[in-house]
Amino acid sequence: MAEYNKEKRQAYWRENVRLMVILLSIWFVISYLCGIVFVEELNTIRLGGYKLGFWFAQQGSMYGFVAIVFTYAHLMAKLDRKYDLHE
Amino acid sequence: MELQTLTFIVVGITFSIYIGIAFWARAGTTSEFYVAGGGIHPIANGMATAADWMSAASFISMAGLIAFYGYGGSVFLMGWTGGYVLLAMLLAPYLRKYGKFTVPEFIGDRFYSKVARIVAVICLIVASVTYVIGQMKGIGVAFSRFLEVSYELGLLIGMGIVFIYAVIGGMKGITYTQIAQYCVLIFAYTIPAIFISLNLTGNPIPQLGLGSMLAGTDTYLLDRLDQVVTELGFAEYTTLSRLGTFNTFVYTLSLMIGTAGLPHVIIRFFTVTKVSDARVSAGWALIFITILYTTAPAVAAMARLNLHETISPTNGANLVYDERPDWFKNWEKTGLLKFEDLNGDGRISYTADKATNEMVKVDKDIMVLANPEIARLPNWVIALVAAGGLAAALSTAAGLLLAIASSISHDLLKGVFRPDINEKQELLASRISMAGAIALAGYFGFNPPDFAAGTVALAFGLAASSIFPVLMMGIFSKRINKEGAIAGMVAGLSITLLYVFQHKGIMFVASTSYLGDMKPNWFMGIEPNAFGAVGAVVNFSVAYVVSMMTPEPPEHIQHMVEDIRVPSGASSAHSH
């Protein structure tokens, strides 16, 4: 039982880390890449009155962060139940 | 009604609410004092966290920085929100699962070492005290500007209010006042923004107004702003990069890591009931913060445009000094605006060229403080801005003071020096530490040290280089041991302090800086305020190398790490 429990916990942790890596990649892309590194290239595209790179830096990245955190909370709640490790 | 009277009434009402809450939310146990009893709803905690987080700097200074740095101000927007992604995924749920009262307590247990705990307390106190000085100054300044009482009296009133609810209520009182303070500050920030956006673009939502056309024209607001500022010789607003791409990158990273590592923010997540609540609560906190942070760039751009259009109208001659509006006169009195008629024509010329510019001083803070007046909003809105600025400063100060007080009474006294004291004695000790922390912060408020201006940036650098890495390694690695953690914290903290001091002077005394604060002297072009991320890399590397050369942590510590990684079996925060 204890052994099974240990494997289960490890599988849960691996899935958690995988989810984190995916979400942190998105976090990196919308802020560091779209808002900083490729800002000039994106600024050639317009989003209404916004230059796109500027929009990512001063608006879009923050909306993305909110979405990332809620996505993580939601998927982790599902993962907790899948492995029966919820509170 | 007279503005002065109205301001007194609005500020008076908000202060009575805070005091009322203090008496209603008294703390009777150490658990209530340190973590508000551990039963705060995730949305309520999100709101309290947002108020805890958004300081006088966010409320008053940030839009002003963006107004003058344009795109370059984005580091603050992304840096101070992106950290919540790290907090929500990498730290908050696991630290909540561990279920103790303070951040140093986790570090001490995970690295099975009182030395590690004491080093963590030192990092925490240095970061939090430097941060709280800025808040105290903010309280004094807000009082003296809006209520025309002296800076000292304003500071005393502010300290008195914090004293009442923080000493009586601890985290419990602070949590409920922070919720009220969030409502005050977000209302005070968004109402003027909505009016201004409506005036300029016809769109009441500032976030959309910023991307809209100016009312009655077919020109986009941001295009017009770019045009206006470049014609006056300033850099183009939407593309101005302060110190280059690499520095922007590292600065943003430092602010994000620092945000996630600030103890007064982390302990807010100890107040929710469950691990899953800690994750959701971080999301709510970020929503409440993002409401202000996405409004700020709109306030910044619109205020900057209004300022230039008032002084140098597109069609017509520059403003005649004797016909300047009332707000101009009011802010001249405070010294935040200053005009010198260099060419003697009686008109105001505001340009980027120092030789012809006659607006010799335009303080960045004016952008938020004078914004309602520049946009001719009614007096009650101006009164609200005063109450909002005070709410922002008080809520952050209280959160910081609690982090300081609990690390003294719980980590140092109960944890290290007098483990035998009972709960009642510890509760008394925590109230005394709180009173002491308020007195210390007040002392620095009355005698602001030379380094007051640089302190908030330093707090982020210290949190990024010392606390964040050690917490993350404690959760994500079973191999990092006490030798590695202590060496990592000391190395990260020292290199960051050393870098800041070598460019800005020891304890910010400029004459002791032995390497001038200028780009050619900076390591890879990184400005001192942005150095926290480099300190964090040093911390991670040192901790890894030292841990590999020393024995692995004992078995029970490895079990502890496995245990905090899963939510099941969590109980509310407790002391043993």
Side-chain angles (χ1 to χ4, degrees):
Chain A
M1 191 61 196
E3 268 314 295
Y4 165 72
N5 197 23
K6 190 167 184 182
E7 271 172 36
K8 188 173 79 169
R9 284 174 166 219
Q10 280 172 349
Y12 167 85
W13 183 247
R14 271 196 302 275
E15 278 203 51
N16 179 14
V17 171
R18 205 182 61 123
L19 179 60
M20 265 181 232
V21 171
I22 295 169
L23 291 175
L24 284 178
S25 311
I26 300 172
W27 165 85
F28 183 79
V29 170
I30 60 173
S31 49
Y32 293 93
L33 296 189
C34 296
I36 299 173
V37 178
F38 297 114
V39 68
E40 284 170 33
E41 287 78 0
L42 288 174
N43 274 344
T44 57
I45 306 168
R46 303 283 298 218
L47 184 73
Y50 285 110
K51 291 172 178 158
L52 190 58
F54 179 85
W55 179 80
F56 266 107
Q58 301 212 339
Q59 297 280 313
S61 57
M62 293 183 275
Y63 301 133
F65 296 153
V66 171
I68 290 170
V69 174
F70 275 104
T71 306
Y72 180 70
H74 177 73
L75 294 178
M76 283 308 286
K78 271 169 87 172
L79 198 66
D80 293 348
R81 282 192 297 275
K82 178 178 162 192
Y83 285 91
D84 197 25
L85 287 168
H86 56 89
E87 296 143 279
Chain B
M1 204 185 296
E2 186 75 15
L3 174 62
Q4 196 68 15
T5 328
L6 209 53
T7 311
F8 270 109
I9 293 173
V10 174
V11 171
I13 292 173
T14 59
F15 277 26
S16 333
I17 295 173
Y18 307 153
I19 293 174
I21 291 171
F23 285 100
W24 169 69
R26 288 186 300 271
T29 62
T30 49
S31 163
E32 285 182 346
F33 195 91
Y34 293 134
V35 295
I40 303 294
H41 188 276
I43 298 180
N45 183 55
M47 220 179 250
T49 308
D52 195 49
W53 171 242
M54 291 190 286
S55 59
S58 290
F59 189 91
I60 297 171
S61 306
M62 192 173 65
L65 286 171
I66 301 167
F68 291 98
Y69 290 150
Y71 164 76
S74 312
V75 290
F76 305 111
L77 296 166
M78 290 187 281
W80 284 337
T81 53
Y84 279 83
V85 176
L86 302 177
L87 191 60
M89 285 194 228
L90 305 178
L91 303 181
Y94 316 106
L95 296 177
R96 170 64 198 82
K97 169 67 197 293
Y98 191 58
K100 294 290 178 81
F101 287 158
T102 69
V103 171
E105 189 172 17
F106 171 79
I107 293 174
D109 288 355
R110 164 62 184 83
F111 298 107
Y112 47 98
S113 156
K114 279 188 182 168
V115 176
R117 190 169 180 176
I118 293 169
V119 173
V121 169
I122 294 169
C123 295
L124 181 151
I125 289 179
V126 173
S128 302
V129 169
T130 49
Y131 206 145
V132 88
I133 296 171
Q135 307 310 314
M136 287 307 189
K137 251 188 94 190
I139 293 169
V141 168
F143 265 105
S144 58
R145 262 178 224 167
F146 286 105
L147 298 166
E148 286 177 24
V149 300
S150 69
Y151 173 90
E152 286 76 17
L153 181 63
L155 189 60
L156 267 182
I157 298 173
M159 282 169 66
I161 300 285
V162 176
F163 186 90
I164 293 171
Y165 68 76
V167 172
I168 297 178
M171 184 58 125
K172 194 176 166 195
I174 289 172
T175 301
Y176 291 109
T177 34
Q178 281 176 337
I179 293 170
Q181 283 157 341
Y182 177 78
C183 297
V184 173
L185 79 87
I186 201 67
F187 200 59
Y189 203 85
T190 49
I191 294 285
I194 289 171
F195 277 118
I196 290 162
S197 177
L198 203 55
N199 279 347
L200 279 177
T201 67
N203 194 324
I205 300 168
Q207 289 84 344
L208 300 178
L210 183 57
S212 301
M213 291 178 188
L214 288 163
T217 70
D218 52 3
T219 315
Y220 284 113
L221 187 149
L222 284 168
D223 291 341
R224 172 64 153 277
L225 180 56
D226 277 344
Q227 187 201 339
V228 168
V229 295
T230 46
E231 276 172 8
L232 295 170
F234 297 98
E236 190 177 65
Y237 188 85
T238 54
T239 54
L240 163 66
S241 176
R242 262 179 67 245
L243 290 162
T245 302
F246 183 68
N247 183 68
T248 304
F249 191 102
V250 178
Y251 201 171
T252 307
L253 188 62
S254 299
L255 292 180
M256 286 195 190
I257 301 176
T259 300
L262 280 173
H264 73 286
V265 178
I266 296 174
I267 54 173
R268 284 240 45 98
F269 292 91
F270 297 174
T271 67
V272 296
T273 320
K274 295 186 295 185
V275 174
S276 53
D277 285 349
R279 298 183 194 125
V280 175
S281 194
W284 283 106
L286 190 52
I287 283 194
F288 292 128
I289 292 166
T290 298
I291 294 173
L292 191 146
Y293 272 55
T294 53
T295 306
V299 170
M302 292 172 188
R304 177 91 185 265
L305 188 62
N306 270 339
L307 181 70
H308 286 304
E309 294 276 2
T310 307
I311 295 175
S312 331
T314 324
N315 311 309
N318 286 347
L319 186 68
V320 175
Y321 182 69
D322 289 337
E323 292 167 14
R324 66 198 188 282
D326 280 341
W327 61 263
F328 199 113
K329 294 177 193 157
N330 289 342
W331 291 97
E332 269 182 315
K333 272 188 245 159
T334 63
L336 296 186
L337 277 184
K338 214 179 267 171
F339 167 76
E340 272 174 32
D341 197 1
L342 296 178
N343 55 11
D345 67 350
R347 290 177 183 273
I348 303 171
S349 158
Y350 182 22
T351 62
D353 184 355
K354 280 209 171 83
T356 56
N357 178 36
E358 299 175 344
M359 292 296 292
V360 287
K361 167 123 194 196
V362 183
D363 191 282
K364 294 185 179 75
D365 288 353
I366 282 204
M367 286 299 152
V368 167
L369 298 175
N371 208 6
E373 295 168 85
I374 298 176
R376 298 164 201 275
L377 298 182
N379 276 353
W380 65 269
V381 178
I382 304 171
L384 202 57
V385 171
L390 285 168
L394 286 172
S395 57
T396 305
L400 288 160
L401 290 165
L402 184 85
I404 298 167
S406 59
S407 73
I408 292 170
S409 61
H410 191 64
D411 291 309
L412 290 186
L413 193 70
K414 172 83 179 172
V416 178
F417 296 112
R418 295 283 304 277
D420 53 326
I421 55 173
N422 64 30
E423 175 169 339
K424 234 178 141 184
Q425 288 166 318
E426 191 187 341
L427 183 61
L428 179 66
S430 63
R431 290 193 208 275
I432 295 170
S433 329
M434 176 63 85
I438 293 171
L440 178 73
Y443 172 80
F444 283 122
F446 283 116
N447 310 290
D450 287 345
F451 56 93
T455 50
V456 170
L458 180 64
F460 280 92
L462 297 176
S465 61
S466 63
I467 298 167
F468 176 84
V470 80
L471 289 176
M472 192 181 156
M473 288 184 290
I475 296 161
F476 285 82
S477 163
K478 290 186 226 171
R479 184 63 185 82
I480 300 296
N481 57 20
K482 71 171 173 193
E483 291 85 355
I486 295 167
M489 278 192 283
V490 171
L493 188 73
S494 323
I495 192 149
T496 307
L497 274 180
L498 195 76
Y499 190 77
V500 173
F501 286 171
Q502 78 178 7
H503 293 296
K504 292 188 176 276
I506 295 160
M507 295 316 285
F508 297 91
V509 178
S511 56
T512 59
S513 115
Y514 47 93
L515 261 182
D517 191 12
M518 57 194 93
K519 199 161 186 177
N521 287 347
W522 294 339
F523 172 71
M524 294 174 75
I526 301 171
E527 62 184 310
N529 287 352
F531 201 72
V534 181
V537 172
V538 170
N539 184 336
F540 278 119
S541 321
V542 168
Y544 179 79
V545 171
V546 172
S547 295
M548 286 307 149
M549 297 189 312
T550 42
E552 63 177 40
E555 183 108 10
H556 73 275
I557 296 295
Q558 305 195 24
H559 283 306
M560 171 193 152
V561 176
E562 281 167 21
D563 197 52
I564 56 169
R565 289 176 177 182
V566 298
S568 57
S571 57
S572 69
H574 54 84
S575 55
H576 305 293

